[in-house]
């Protein structure tokens, strides 16, 4: 069931979104060689709690940390660790959620550690641009399939591939709500986009195959071919004025 939010509820989601976006921005500022993923996680948790919110991911299905931090060929759901040091040339995906006032925000970004390869930088750019292509379709009267179709067409044109086994989702009172928002699909198909829908649009884009595998920790998802992956996500409200990025901080 798709839960439609009224303007009052969207206002509350703006607060959850802002805290999420701020925590992600602070995390991004920490990204440099020699920092551990646990240090970044701690900073994220501290900021969220300072704002009176709670980290959405902490304890979610037993997840042991406040953020998912995934490096290079890890796609999503990497577990922060005091043994995991960032190295020059890595790309690091940080995924954050904050819960306050009954609502969640959910946002992710991919950060380069120092100087990275041209292909890594290009993947980061392609992923961000694919998000823009997708979010441009998040308008009243459209369909869910319009979003995924736009993302997939763009990344394919750039020689990259969109992960299919994990998808975007509705977000609001629950971290994961209906509908699913795949990064592939057919334009004109799927649930109708209506005023007050709030969805996480989150392309997970690979340099090589779209196939992914799960690591033995039961959380970390990595590319099947070991090539790089990037991730970009915002919580988006569909409104009469067009899509609003609730987790964007300016
Ligand atoms: Mg997320
Ligand atoms: Mg999400």
């Amino acid at each position: 069931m798709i839960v439609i939010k009224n303007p009052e509820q969207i206002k509350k989601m703006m607060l959850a979104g802002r805290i999420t976006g701020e925590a992600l921005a602070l995390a991004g500022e920490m990204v440099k060689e020699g920092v551990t993923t646990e240090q970044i996680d701690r900073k994220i948790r501290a900021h969220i709690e300072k704002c009176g919110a709670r980290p959405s991911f902490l304890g979610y299905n037993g997840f042991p940390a406040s953020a998912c931090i995934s490096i290079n060929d890890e796609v999503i759901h990497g577990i922060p660790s005091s043994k995991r040091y960032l190295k020059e040339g890595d790309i690091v995906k940080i995924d954050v959620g904050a819960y306050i006032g009954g609502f969640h925000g959910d946002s992710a970004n991919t950060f380069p550690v120092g100087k990275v390869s041209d292909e890594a930088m290009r993947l980061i750019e392609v992923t961000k641009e694919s998000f823009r292509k997708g979010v441009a379709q998040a308008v009243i009267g459209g369909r869910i399939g319009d979003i995924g179709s736009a993302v997939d067409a763009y990344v394919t044109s750039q020689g990259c591939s969109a992960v299919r086994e994990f998808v975007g989702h509705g977000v609001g009172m629950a971290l994961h709500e209906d509908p699913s928002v795949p990064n592939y699909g057919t334009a004109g198909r799927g649930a109708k986009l209506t005023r007050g829908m709030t969805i996480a649009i989150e392309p997970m884009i690979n340099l090589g195959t779209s196939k992914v595998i799960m690591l033995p920790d039961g959380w970390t998802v990595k590319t099947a071919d070991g090539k790089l992956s990037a991730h970009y996500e915002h919580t988006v409200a569909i409104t009469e004025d067009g899509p609003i990025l609730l987790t964007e901080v300016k």
Side-chain angles (χ1 to χ4, degrees), residues 57 77 95-96 105-108 167-171 175-176 199-202 204 231 233-235:
F57 302 170
H77 301 167
D95 194 347
V96 178
D106 188 6
S107 186
V167 296
H169 51 92
V171 52
L175 180 59
H176 294 112
I199 55 176
I201 299 178
E202 52 175 315
M204 292 152 256
H231 187 198
E233 172 182 35
H234 278 296
T235 298

Side-chain angles (χ1 to χ4, degrees), residues 134-232:
V135 83
Q137 301 297 321
V139 293
I140 295 171
R143 299 265 181 180
I144 281 291
D146 300 348
I147 298 172
S149 153
V151 169
D152 194 33
Y154 175 69
V155 302
T156 304
S157 78
Q158 300 301 306
C160 299
S161 68
V163 170
R164 290 173 167 249
E165 285 163 67
F166 294 87
V167 296
H169 51 92
V171 52
M173 289 163 234
L175 180 59
H176 294 112
E177 297 182 348
D178 286 338
S180 288
V181 185
N183 295 304
Y184 59 92
T186 307
R189 302 286 285 273
K192 209 169 205 167
L193 303 176
T194 58
R195 181 200 315 141
M197 276 175 73
T198 48
I199 55 176
I201 299 178
E202 52 175 315
M204 292 152 256
I205 306 302
N206 297 347
L207 263 187
T209 178
S210 65
K211 296 266 184 304
V212 295
I213 55 173
M214 174 78 75
L215 290 189
D217 65 18
W219 281 106
T220 313
V221 174
K222 68 178 277 304
T223 58
D225 60 7
K227 292 188 178 170
L228 294 176
S229 184
H231 187 198
Y232 192 80

Side-chain angles (χ1 to χ4, degrees), residues 23-37:
L24 183 57
L26 286 170
E29 287 169 16
M30 286 181 74
V31 168
K32 62 169 194 280
E33 180 160 72
V35 172
T36 70
T37 55

